[in-house]
Amino acid sequence: MKLVLVALFTAFYLLMAIRFFKVWWVFFKRDTDLSLNWTYISIAVLTLASASWPVVVPFAYLELLAKVQRNAAEFEAEASETETSELEEEKAEPKNFVSPVEL
């Protein structure tokens, strides 16, 4: 029974490592500005990150989550600033309203 569990965990680990490598490889291939030295270093980092995905993925997710929250806070601040400026404009200068009766 223990051998089956170890085999399942090992298979899951390897399948996920291969999957992450394939996905990250696509992003790596899009970058065409790398010199030969940086290409070798990038491949080494890509391989290391794929092998250590149980550590890398949660940290990457936390960083992505923080970025989304930061962007959401900036968006809310801009939206409230826009609403405030629109309200001030409406108070300062009322728009000409033409009723259907006047037409």
Side-chain angles (χ1 to χ4, degrees):
M1 183 66 176
K2 289 181 183 179
L3 186 60
V4 172
L5 286 175
V6 169
L8 286 175
F9 282 127
T10 304
F12 176 73
Y13 173 82
L14 290 175
L15 288 173
M16 291 302 292
I18 291 169
R19 177 68 181 144
F20 283 122
F21 185 83
K22 285 181 180 179
V23 169
W24 292 334
W25 182 258
V26 170
F27 290 116
F28 170 73
K29 292 304 274 181
R30 287 183 189 169
D31 191 7
T32 57
D33 298 340
L34 294 177
S35 67
L36 190 58
N37 286 340
W38 279 108
T39 301
Y40 291 136
I41 292 170
S42 298
I43 290 173
V45 169
L46 179 66
T47 305
L48 182 63
S50 296
S52 60
W53 69 264
V55 175
V56 172
V57 171
F59 281 112
Y61 177 75
L62 290 174
E63 186 173 328
L64 182 64
L65 186 61
K67 182 179 179 182
V68 167
Q69 289 174 343
R70 189 171 50 249
N71 287 343
E74 290 174 4
F75 178 74
E76 287 177 6
E78 289 176 8
S80 66
E81 189 176 290
T82 303
E83 289 175 4
T84 305
S85 64
E86 287 176 358
L87 288 174
E88 288 174 0
E89 287 175 7
E90 288 178 7
K91 288 179 183 176
E93 187 178 309
K95 295 180 181 177
N96 294 335
F97 178 73
V98 178
S99 69
V101 177
E102 293 176 11
L103 294 175

